[in-house]
Amino acid sequence: MPESTVDRVFAEFEAEALTMFRPPGVAAARRRARILRRRRRGFLAGLVALLLGGPAGAFALAGTDNAPPTPAPTPSATPSPSDGPVIRRVAPSGAPGELRELRFVNARAGWGLFSTCAVGGSTSNCRSAVAWTDDGGLTWRAAAVPDTIRGHLQLLPAPDGETLTVMAETGWLVTSDGGRTFSEHPRQSPPPPAQRALATLSGYLLGCPGAAALTVVDPGPVCGRRVLTNVGGRRVPDQPPVELRIDQNQQLVEGRDRRLWLAVHQRGRTVVLVRGSATTDRWRTLPSVPGELTLLVSPDGRHVWLAGFQERKPLWRLTGDSWRELPGLPDDTGSVAALDDGLLIVGGGSGTVGFLVDGRYVDRPELRDGPGSTGPGVGVLADGTIELDYNGTKALGVGSGVERTWVRYFS
């Protein structure tokens, strides 16, 4: 594969992957804007173009962390849903530099990236470390990133909460024990855990035909269409009955009920297909809806929506096998996610956060990001926990319905 192709794919992947491979409810317009800002700063973006190759060889590196976990400040009382967010610091002992990235897998497990690398600057002499928590951020354990991997880094946590892939310009690192040990992989051979981090719950991805060889999701030179594959590049026999061109926007989403959802934009309309139900495992094509809309599926797979970020913010909800149009989203909606209890969490462009309950918007002023904010982006984790992204810092909302316990994380 030409080096220039690899560089371009790394630079272009993440904005596309957010809509194709992230769990249900990935934020749309607001998060895309943040990604573009990161790319301008020089952060790495994306890798799915390389994730369709087979397993790569690896060699073990010695453990790099002997420091005990460092407790973060603990609230003096158990928070209740009516309280404001509990503040927890992400400041593990021995972590160099500043917190550059924070990624949670569920309400308890998460990873942080610390680095002395100047944003957009040289990476020749900087140091980096990852930090892991499995108790919701009460304690964090830091582990130095081996200096054989250089450049700006990006975290790709796997669904199990303990496995992490670190992506860099020069290669890949994988840890499956919270950072105690790492395996290293060549840049041209993305390891299976990196693929798994971007796949659906059952390990499905969209990729180029013949992806058992190292191929690139790249218009023209490599392939002009995508197919449904498993981690490792194996083509799935039961392909969706729709053309998946490389120049289309597509989303692949799977809920905990194991139904697989595929949304495709075709000629100004959105087509949704679903595989798996109580009566059949075959693909079904639902009626198309006008506009290029974002597919929202609750983590449990029971609630399915289509949302648009055009001027009137259209909103549709799936009832049986039909789409029912509802009053649109709030005018300043920048991101939206579907929740297990049939609600939507909405992030506004002016910093507001609220819920859409039976067509009624319920504002949560305690979650606003202050005057002049352009966020936060909203999302939902696989266990149903709400995640708010305040341009790098995070807040998690645990519970159900509108009243939740909120924890906000700062470095």
Side-chain angles (χ1 to χ4, degrees):
M1 182 190 307
E3 189 72 10
S4 60
T5 301
V6 175
D7 292 337
R8 178 165 55 77
V9 169
F10 268 74
E12 293 176 353
F13 163 75
E14 187 174 27
E16 178 183 1
L18 284 173
T19 56
M20 288 173 54
F21 301 107
R22 295 293 299 158
V26 171
R30 193 61 54 191
R31 190 162 293 184
R32 290 192 189 100
R34 283 198 298 275
I35 292 164
L36 292 174
R37 288 199 297 270
R38 273 191 212 147
R39 283 166 56 181
R40 285 195 297 266
R41 293 181 197 137
F43 276 104
L44 285 178
L47 70 158
V48 84
L50 300 177
L51 295 182
L52 305 176
F59 59 91
L61 298 178
T64 55
D65 174 41
N66 296 316
T70 301
T74 305
S76 57
T78 301
S80 68
S82 60
D83 295 332
V86 174
I87 303 302
R88 290 181 183 164
R89 291 191 62 218
V90 185
S93 175
E98 300 178 358
L99 180 64
R100 302 293 192 192
E101 188 178 0
L102 189 59
R103 298 284 304 274
F104 281 93
V105 176
N106 52 51
R108 298 188 61 83
W111 294 88
L113 171 67
F114 289 81
S115 179
T116 62
C117 298
V119 176
S122 171
T123 62
S124 58
N125 296 312
C126 55
R127 296 177 297 121
S128 300
V130 296
W132 176 63
T133 181
D134 63 353
D135 57 11
L138 288 171
T139 60
W140 294 84
R141 181 175 65 244
V145 173
D147 58 11
T148 52
I149 295 294
R150 298 189 180 277
H152 293 292
L153 310 179
Q154 192 166 8
L155 305 183
L156 293 170
D160 63 9
E162 294 187 5
T163 302
L164 174 74
T165 300
V166 181
M167 180 180 67
E169 296 163 355
T170 57
W172 311 81
L173 291 172
V174 176
T175 178
S176 298
D177 53 14
R180 291 186 178 89
T181 59
F182 289 93
S183 61
E184 187 171 349
H185 305 254
R187 176 180 175 177
Q188 300 283 48
S189 300
Q195 303 176 43
R196 193 68 187 86
L198 292 172
T200 69
L201 291 175
S202 298
Y204 294 112
L205 292 159
L206 297 178
C208 289
L214 195 62
T215 59
V216 179
V217 176
D218 183 16
V222 177
C223 70
R225 62 186 179 91
R226 295 187 178 101
V227 296
L228 185 66
T229 74
N230 287 317
V231 169
R234 298 180 302 277
R235 179 181 172 128
V236 175
D238 185 18
Q239 289 291 311
V242 64
E243 184 182 18
L244 301 176
R245 298 196 314 270
I246 201 72
D247 59 349
Q248 293 172 324
N249 288 326
Q250 301 147 10
Q251 288 176 267
L252 186 66
V253 179
E254 184 180 10
R256 292 195 301 268
D257 62 357
R258 302 299 175 178
R259 285 191 296 173
L260 192 62
W261 301 85
L262 174 64
V264 182
H265 294 167
Q266 292 183 336
R267 296 179 291 277
R269 301 182 70 87
T270 299
V271 178
V272 177
L273 301 91
V274 57
R275 191 184 77 176
S277 69
T279 58
T280 179
D281 285 332
R282 303 178 70 86
W283 285 97
R284 292 180 294 122
T285 302
L286 303 178
S288 65
V289 175
E292 295 192 352
L293 308 177
T294 298
L295 175 66
L296 307 174
V297 181
S298 62
D300 62 10
R302 296 174 54 214
H303 306 283
V304 183
W305 311 72
L306 287 172
F309 296 88
Q310 299 90 344
E311 183 177 352
R312 65 183 185 89
K313 303 295 191 296
L315 180 65
W316 301 73
R317 184 167 189 173
L318 186 64
T319 304
D321 283 341
S322 300
W323 295 104
R324 179 165 61 96
E325 188 169 14
L326 303 174
L329 296 165
D331 290 342
D332 73 338
T333 298
S335 56
V336 60
L339 307 179
D340 282 345
D341 37 24
L343 309 181
L344 295 176
I345 179 76
V346 179
S350 57
T352 58
V353 179
F355 294 86
L356 206 61
V357 184
D358 296 327
R360 179 174 58 93
Y361 178 75
V362 179
D363 189 40
R364 299 312 303 255
E366 72 275 16
L367 301 176
R368 293 187 182 185
D369 198 23
S373 170
T374 58
V378 302
V380 60
L381 304 179
D383 64 350
T385 298
I386 296 173
E387 182 182 61
L388 306 182
D389 185 346
Y390 295 92
N391 199 22
T393 64
K394 296 290 179 73
L396 299 184
V398 182
S400 61
V402 174
E403 298 296 331
R404 296 186 178 232
T405 298
W406 293 92
V407 180
R408 190 163 180 183
Y409 298 86
F410 289 93
S411 59

